[in-house]
Amino acid sequence: MIASGLRFGGVAALLALGIVFPLVFTNPAVTSDAIYTLIFVAAASAWNTFSGYSGYISLGHAVFFGSGAYLTGIATLDWGLTGSQVFLLLPLAGLVGAIIAVPFGLIALRVRRHTFVVITIAIFFIFQLMAYNLQSLTGGTSGLLAPTVNFAAATYNNPFYYAALVIAVAAVAVSWLIRRSRFGLQLRAIRDDEDRARGLGVRTMRVKLGAFVISAVPVAMVGGLSWYFTGLIDPSSGFDPLFDVAVALMAFLGGLGTVAGPVLGALIIEPAQQYFQGQVSAGYLFLMLYGALFLVVILVLPRGVIPTAAEQIGKWRDKRREGDGGLAGHRLAAAGAAPDRAKELA
Amino acid sequence: MTLHRTRFLSVGITAAVLSAALAACSSSSSPTGGSHAKSPVVIGASLSLTGDFSADGQAFERGYELWAKDQNAAGGLLGHKIVLKFLNDASSPTQAVANYQQLINVDHVTFTIGPFSSLLTGPSAQVAHRYGYALIEGAGGAPSVFATKLNNVFDVSLPVAASTLPLINWIASLPASKRPKTAAFPTSNDPFTQPQIQFAMARLTKLGVKAVYYKVFPEEPTQIKGIADQVAAKRADMVVLGSTAVPTVQGFTQAFIQAGYNPKIFLATAGPDQGAAYLKAVGHLNNDGVMVPNAWYGGSPNPQSKKMVAEYIAQYGGTASGVNADVAEAYSVGQVLTQAVNATRSLSNAKIIAYLHSAVTLSSVQGPVRFDSVGENLAATAFVFQWQKNNFLQVLPPGAGSAAVEYPKAPWGK
Amino acid sequence: MTMTEAATAPSASPAPLLRTESVSKAFGGVQALSGASIEVGRGTIAGLIGPNGSGKTTLFNIITGYARADSGQVYLDGRRITNLPPERVFSLGIGRTFQLTRIFPTMTVFENMLIAGQHKERSWNPLARAGGAASRRHAMELLDFVGIARHAGALAQTLSYGQRKLLELAYVLVADPEIVLLDEPAGGVNPSLINTIAGKIRELNAAGKTFLIVEHNMDFVMGLCDRVMVLDYGSVIAAGPPAQVRADPRVLDAYLGTGEDDDAQDGDRGAGHEGA
Amino acid sequence: MSQLPQAITDGILGGAVYALMAAGLTLIFGVMDIINIAQGILVVLAAYLSYALSVHLHIDPLLGLLITVPAMFAVGAAIEWAFMRRLRGRERTAMSLLVSYAVAVVIEGALYQVFGANDVAIQAPYVNSGVHVLGFDLPYIYLIGAGLAVVAFAAIYLLLYRTTFGRSVRATMQDKVAARLIGINVNRVAAITFGIGVGVTAAGGMVFGATNAFSPNSGYDLISRLLSIVILGGLGSIGGAAAAALFMVTAEEVVNIWQPVWATAVYYAVLVIVLLVRPVGIFGKPEARSS
């Protein structure tokens, strides 16, 4: 009970920090970085609700990002929307992402492992090519420029920030709900042994497709937001193959299949990327250092920060408890509260 | 259960550290703008030092640095030393937008100058506009950049659609018997090249040159050889290639040579203007006779240009023909900024924007500069250049300082 | 419709709970099953034996939907279930274990139990928490029944091999299937655990559960089963009470004469990694 | 329709180059179960090695293979030893994706640092000349590429299926623990296999660099097409990858006749359609493992 209270307190504090952040750090350069970070918090969380829980590594989620961006762009320009009106399109972008995810998932989820990874890449490139070639719709290579928005310069970023915050919080909340639900249990069973799960009555295709569709929604929404904030969508930045690599990296760094892992991963990687990539003086050495850093982190923390930390803490606690009360206490505790604890470790 | 607390504590700490780091970033930059009398003027740009535009980004960096060095030697801007601040955008518009936010709000630069390519210039101009900055740029000439009608964008380079006009006029001047009879028009699906190629095709068809091939290919084609072989099979007298970069030109060149096809005229819209980078890719034997339209070349008789080229060679080596036209585009940006600052006697963006809109004619290494209401350079002149025996020469329009057109182009491998 | 057919179908003995009818299956050029017909009476413990490669596991796979039959039919309680997908077969009431146990290693023992129970929860809300209070209690009771309740919170991958067998048995029981198919429940486990497992099976059978067991450990099969069927080269060559089958010369030819000693040793050594 | 024979010729020639580049990937991706995103940049690295040898030491690129193949083998073995070996457990495949991406970024940065951002191409006498047979131009460089591809595929096939080492490789890939039990040095087998997979790219890189202008950024365009080829051929199928490369590039060239902008879609559309009908690829065997 104390635990859940603390957990609630922690989440509430984080949320409060998120809400007051742009009021404290008013510099547009900082809030701009924060917006892209929140965009990746949402995307990494959403990606994780499918790939992290089910074990199917998707490198095709940029399809939803790009489609959300193009939908928002095309609708905004066609309907002549301006200012805050555009934000109302974001749920529509999410819906379109979900609709695209259905046939995408029905095709891709028939295969597993490597083949799944590559087929998501293949479908991704088909979408990118459509963005290049359907010029009348997408503007071809030059893409779609967003209209100039006349928000006040000093607080220009704030509406974008809060929109990103809402999507990110919703994505994390959905991820959390799924993690503790029957649906999440089914997904993780698929990740461990899909055929066995079928043999225990899990309708695997339905479950996988459901997760795929759910995970597409926030990604498409932040795609739309990203178009509006950046001011441009073009085929190579909208359907960016490195988007999925970045998102996967965030989820892995924090802890694949955990709720907090992708959030933490995005909070670390995106600001670091924003900052370091810009550094011209470091030249190309930066690129090498950036790659090398990831190699080290992946090799030192192969399961990600959160599971590794939880494991270390668990070990430490076990040791301490053994010192205190011996094995009996440990077993008692395990029988009662253990399901919850082990879930944290998983 | 302490586990939960620790777990969220770690998240909390990280977030706190991150926000502290961000705060440090934002506060560490003391105002560098021109509040003190002789403090430096910081000028910022986002450049593509990695990614698709990295070759152009590097050339731009050199052009900007050459200008700053020259101008500092001449006393800087109104006596303030020029300090350049570059951020890398890895050819991504998202990063470019973030970079201009950073330059304006964290580094507090006095002026912003443009990135490479229209793709990045469009959204970057909006950021600059939001904070009242002028964005003088040399490589953002696509219609989409001007369509938003922002008042702060100024492109010092040549508007491109009619760039092949000197060649078309020259063909028109030939006696009918000597004109090419057929032409092939392969083009990449780039917002620049497609209009150029369509313009050339329409005009040449009027002159009686038959278009035997027109197809659009992707900007980064994977099997250039296949497309080039289809073109070669037409055996057209001339090829007008809508290319955006060196690899495409190299691919067509190699396939033409392999197919034993040597058109009388071979013009590529971009690539051959990249100096040494182009020569390295196609080889020293395979450039003779290849044409490219542009506003500038290393051998330009323009005295400002001669000076810049001499300095460039002193610093980076090579020959005049090896200087990338991007260098001149970037250098011109600096020159236009210098003239605007000197004319207004001020470091105010608002005054500079007003001045550049006042239809004054300025000079640059690329020639005269005069802006219309959306910031296009109306005074730029189009030239056509030709590689002749590893030398990059201006051949069209004919006149003082122009070399004779090599027509028909010499065989490959000579 | 099939139900009524079954109800009106004439039958000499009480209708069997599980029945296969001339099931055949070939992998490439190898005929794994050729016309295998078996019957398992309701409330009985049936054994399915045969030499390596005789098609026992293949028949299990076909019954439970993990493989498709080339021809032949499978009936559960008179209802045709041939080639239904595994999740349907399971929800119709056939649970099974695997020769090499297949548990969910990165989930806890308790979550393994909830997975098996999830199909019965017909909640409209997919985000509802897994397992109501009743099913959680039921899961815990079953873990207690097989004797691994104290590991409920541990990750399943930390269990010993024998404990995994018990877990697999327990989570198959969660869904309360009509019949449980056990693929070598005694393979690779120590003698005292074999006795434990046999005891649990008897206990469940006494409470009315039907079993079909593939096993190489003859003592285990003969001691436990009411009826034994012998597969050889993909067809049933003998069926009947253990004593009768044991004495059948065809069976001795095919199997017992050559393989019994080896298998007994296997059981003792706890290797048990041969394929069926 | 007169363009069709030319397009098919180009497709077969270009397909041979792709087959050569994919040869190493079938080993690493198809046999070793590692998604090596770095394979694209390794091709580019090999191209730069050939380029540097030819420009600075005036070593003919073809002759230079005697240096570049062992060098790339060493690079591959080092990558396996330093990184891939450390990946274990359930997420090994997915983790290999990220590790190899990070490796690719490091190599890309190094290439930028050493060679700069400008495009270069490998020049050699046989790059631009060729033979004229039955109305078709067959450039020597493509014939060399095809020849090297045949050699590479034959060598990999013989290695895997006709040698003791090959049996160790296959045993290791099927079951590491069992392989160890029968006395195979699993680590050494993995390092050598990865080394061979990367060593073969030296040949692919040389031909790629001679037929395309390339820069440190060129690797990204290659990898997705190479992965598609290996999957279409069927994971682990050596001949399948070669056939898929020829088929894919030929189809691309045929589409080039009408609609060059849609030509690259061929790769992905064909892949999606084939996998819908046959989830294991054209020449793949159904997966033995079901998890």
Side-chain angles (χ1 to χ4, degrees), chain D residues 20-254:
Chain D
L20 183 57
M21 290 191 286
L25 197 62
T26 52
L27 259 185
I28 293 172
F29 181 59
V31 180
M32 289 185 78
D33 248 19
I34 286 175
I35 303 185
N36 184 21
I37 294 280
Q39 197 78 9
I41 197 82
L42 287 168
V43 168
V44 175
L45 171 65
Y48 269 112
L49 285 182
S50 288
Y51 172 80
L53 287 177
S54 111
V55 169
H56 297 297
L57 300 175
H58 307 289
I59 297 174
D60 178 87
L62 203 50
L63 203 63
L65 289 181
L66 294 176
I67 302 168
T68 56
V69 171
M72 292 304 290
F73 174 88
V75 169
I79 292 174
E80 200 285 333
W81 174 80
F83 309 118
M84 297 304 172
R85 178 169 303 176
R86 282 150 229 283
L87 305 180
R88 294 216 172 75
R90 320 182 45 73
E91 265 89 42
R92 183 167 167 273
T93 305
M95 292 288 281
S96 70
L97 192 85
L98 299 179
V99 168
S100 59
Y101 168 69
V103 169
V105 170
V106 173
I107 297 176
E108 186 193 357
L111 289 178
Y112 270 122
Q113 192 76 28
V114 177
F115 294 101
N118 285 324
D119 292 273
V120 295
I122 295 171
Q123 310 290 342
Y126 41 79
V127 166
N128 288 325
S129 51
V131 287
H132 198 75
V133 182
L134 301 171
F136 294 109
D137 297 300
L138 304 178
Y140 289 127
I141 185 67
Y142 284 96
L143 298 178
I144 291 169
L148 288 172
V150 170
V151 170
F153 275 96
I156 291 175
Y157 177 81
L158 292 176
L159 182 83
L160 274 184
Y161 294 99
R162 293 285 181 273
T163 63
T164 325
F165 177 76
R167 271 197 292 282
S168 317
V169 172
R170 286 181 291 137
T172 307
M173 298 324 153
Q174 272 163 27
D175 189 339
K176 274 211 175 72
V177 179
R180 232 177 230 125
L181 285 176
I182 56 171
I184 293 174
N185 184 339
V186 168
N187 281 339
R188 199 173 62 195
V189 165
I192 293 175
T193 312
F194 206 91
I196 293 170
V198 174
V200 173
T201 63
M206 190 277 278
V207 179
F208 172 75
T211 51
N212 293 272
F214 58 94
S215 74
N217 196 35
S218 302
Y220 295 107
D221 291 334
L222 281 176
I223 185 62
S224 55
R225 274 193 288 275
L226 293 179
L227 289 175
S228 301
I229 285 170
V230 175
I231 288 275
L232 185 76
L235 280 175
S237 165
I238 309 284
L246 291 175
F247 173 73
M248 290 275 221
V249 182
T250 305
E252 187 181 0
E253 293 291 18
V254 170

Side-chain angles (χ1 to χ4, degrees), chain B residues 106-323:
Chain B
V106 176
D107 300 313
H108 301 292
V109 298
T110 309
F111 297 115
T112 51
I113 48 181
F116 181 84
S117 104
S118 300
L119 205 58
L120 307 191
T121 306
S124 301
Q126 297 206 343
V127 175
H129 181 259
R130 193 180 307 152
Y131 301 103
Y133 278 65
L135 188 74
I136 306 174
E137 45 99 352
S144 60
V145 173
F146 305 111
T148 46
K149 295 194 164 46
L150 296 174
N151 73 338
N152 65 324
V153 188
F154 303 95
D155 181 15
V156 301
S157 298
L158 170 77
V160 283
S163 65
T164 55
L165 203 53
L167 177 70
I168 293 158
N169 291 338
W170 177 75
I171 289 172
S173 75
L174 293 175
S177 61
K178 293 193 77 181
R179 285 183 197 166
K181 305 280 178 294
T182 52
F185 299 93
T187 176
S188 78
N189 62 351
D190 179 85
F192 277 116
T193 56
Q194 240 178 306
Q196 285 185 81
I197 297 305
Q198 283 161 351
F199 176 86
M201 186 162 72
R203 291 300 188 91
L204 286 169
T205 310
K206 267 193 199 157
L207 292 178
V209 181
K210 194 178 163 213
V212 291
Y213 182 97
Y214 171 77
K215 284 209 189 305
V216 182
F217 57 82
E219 202 178 344
E220 285 170 27
T222 52
Q223 297 301 321
I224 305 180
K225 179 173 161 54
I227 300 163
D229 278 348
Q230 299 296 335
V231 174
K234 301 288 184 192
R235 303 278 149 178
D237 288 339
M238 71 182 286
V239 174
V240 184
L241 170 64
S243 55
T244 53
V246 169
T248 313
V249 184
Q250 187 270 346
F252 272 84
T253 303
Q254 191 180 69
F256 285 175
I257 299 171
Q258 288 169 347
Y261 167 53
N262 186 38
K264 288 179 188 157
I265 296 174
F266 180 25
L267 177 139
T269 53
D273 57 343
Q274 304 227 334
Y278 165 73
L279 287 184
K280 259 190 195 169
V282 297
H284 287 274
L285 295 175
N286 302 318
N287 57 68
D288 205 0
V290 177
M291 296 181 178
V292 62
N294 209 330
W296 181 87
Y297 69 117
S300 164
N302 178 328
Q304 298 172 12
S305 170
K306 280 191 158 156
K307 178 166 171 281
M308 182 195 81
V309 168
E311 288 166 356
Y312 183 93
I313 293 170
Q315 191 158 350
Y316 301 107
T319 65
S321 297
V323 182

Side-chain angles (χ1 to χ4, degrees), chain B residues 14-26:
Chain B
T14 316
V17 169
L18 276 172
S19 27
L22 286 172
C25 289
S26 57

